Amino acid sequence: MLKKIQKRLTIHNSSVRELLAEALGTYVLMVLGLSSVAQVVLGKGKFGQYLSINVGFGIGVTMGIHAAGGISGAHLNAAITFTQCVFGNLPWRKLPAYLLGQFLGSFLAAATIFGLYYDALYDYTKGNFTVTGPTATASIFSTYPAPYMSLAGGFFTEFMATIMLFLGVLVIYDENNNGALKGTQALLTGILVLGIGMGMGMNTGYAINPSRDLPPRIFTAIAGWGVDVFTAGNHWWWVPLVAPVLGSLAGGLIYKILIDIHNQHVQEHGNEKEQTQTVIESSTL
């Protein structure tokens, strides 16, 4: 009976499977990440500090990759998905499924954290949900620039942080180079995100991922924070969408030029030597 039910529930369309995997992986990532932010903000420093947020997102990335990696590769990031399409590693026809899955998982995660911490949110704000000010809480869900940041400076921060993210991902997963040991990739990717947050998070909150930032921002606009979530920070909302995409493309191009094409040349040269040696050995038999 159980096998029959399982068989009926099995989805054979690969795009739908990948959509669901990306949704679950992104949901796990975002729930662990956003909940760590909520505890730090709403707990007024009694239940964690900035490092807690870095660790929370790092663990979230690791668990998200474990959740979705076997089916979709666990991009969990619209910038990375777009870049993989540009470099020919993912068919363009799969782009909508990946993005929809990521955005769905992220939006549902924001709704989950809102429900989980609603009483604390209400107590902290007295029912007045604001984007700026002494009891601002919109930053629990999406990123906003520090008060001292210019728009250009914030853009550059997100651009550079995403370059480091995608470069790190390529280093970890490139089996043709000095890739990570099998089974450790998810953990190392989580540590990579932890490192980016610890070193490059102060200026902008290190969104480095459109799927991490836009869906929760839309949720907060609906849930009581209003259109201020799109106008705050000199209309900051578009920067976590555009800068990570450009940063990811730049990171991929840098790795391609400095590492990947040289490895391909070495491999091709090595294969030619092996083939020549095989021919010589065969001719002597």
Side-chain angles (χ1 to χ4, degrees):
M1 183 65 178
L2 185 60
K3 288 185 177 180
K4 288 182 179 179
I5 295 174
Q6 182 177 341
K7 188 175 181 179
R8 290 185 177 183
L9 290 175
T10 301
I11 297 171
H12 299 286
N13 186 295
S14 62
S15 293
V16 176
R17 290 200 306 268
E18 288 156 354
L19 185 156
L20 295 176
E22 286 293 304
L24 177 60
T26 308
Y27 179 82
V28 170
L29 157 61
M30 292 297 290
V31 164
L32 291 173
L34 296 184
S35 60
S36 66
V37 184
Q39 281 206 160
V40 171
V41 173
L42 302 178
K44 301 177 181 178
K46 296 179 181 178
F47 296 92
Q49 302 293 331
Y50 178 68
L51 181 59
S52 306
I53 298 172
N54 303 149
V55 174
F57 272 105
I59 294 173
V61 166
T62 296
M63 297 310 299
I65 292 172
H66 277 298
I71 295 176
S72 68
H75 293 184
L76 317 182
N77 185 328
I80 289 178
T81 299
F82 181 79
T83 301
Q84 294 288 33
C85 289
V86 170
F87 283 95
N89 299 321
L90 184 74
W92 283 102
R93 60 183 172 80
K94 290 185 177 290
L95 180 65
Y98 272 73
L99 297 189
L100 181 59
Q102 293 162 12
F103 277 47
L104 177 63
S106 186
F107 186 90
L108 292 177
T112 299
I113 298 307
F114 180 76
L116 187 67
Y117 283 102
Y118 179 78
D119 291 339
L121 276 165
Y122 197 89
D123 178 69
Y124 185 83
T125 65
K126 308 307 178 190
N128 183 26
F129 297 161
T130 58
V131 179
T132 58
T135 59
T137 47
S139 60
I140 291 173
F141 300 90
S142 294
T143 63
Y144 295 86
Y148 58 81
M149 286 303 297
S150 66
L151 201 60
F155 191 99
F156 184 65
T157 298
E158 286 293 317
F159 176 75
M160 287 302 305
T162 314
I163 285 179
M164 296 308 301
L165 171 67
F166 197 48
L167 271 177
V169 168
L170 292 174
V171 167
I172 291 168
Y173 284 90
D174 188 358
E175 295 179 357
N176 295 324
N177 192 25
N178 189 25
L181 294 175
K182 185 176 177 60
T184 65
Q185 295 95 332
L187 176 61
L188 289 174
T189 306
I191 293 173
L192 169 65
V193 172
L194 169 62
I196 290 172
M198 291 175 66
M200 306 177 78
M202 182 177 75
N203 289 343
T204 62
Y206 71 112
I208 59 176
N209 181 356
S211 307
R212 174 261 180 273
D213 199 81
L214 181 59
R217 195 179 299 274
I218 294 173
F219 174 81
T220 51
I222 297 170
W225 284 264
V227 295
D228 286 353
V229 301
F230 293 104
T231 59
N234 196 19
H235 295 82
W236 169 258
W237 70 272
W238 65 272
V239 176
L241 302 184
V242 178
V245 172
L246 296 179
S248 183
L249 288 169
L253 185 61
I254 290 169
Y255 191 82
K256 191 80 172 174
I257 293 173
L258 299 184
I259 301 295
D260 191 46
I261 58 175
H262 305 295
N263 276 343
Q264 290 177 8
H265 174 74
V266 170
Q267 285 184 330
E268 289 171 1
H269 189 63
N271 289 338
E272 289 174 3
K273 282 185 175 181
E274 290 175 4
Q275 290 172 3
T276 303
Q277 184 66 28
T278 302
V279 170
I280 293 172
E281 290 176 352
S282 299
S283 65
T284 58
L285 293 178

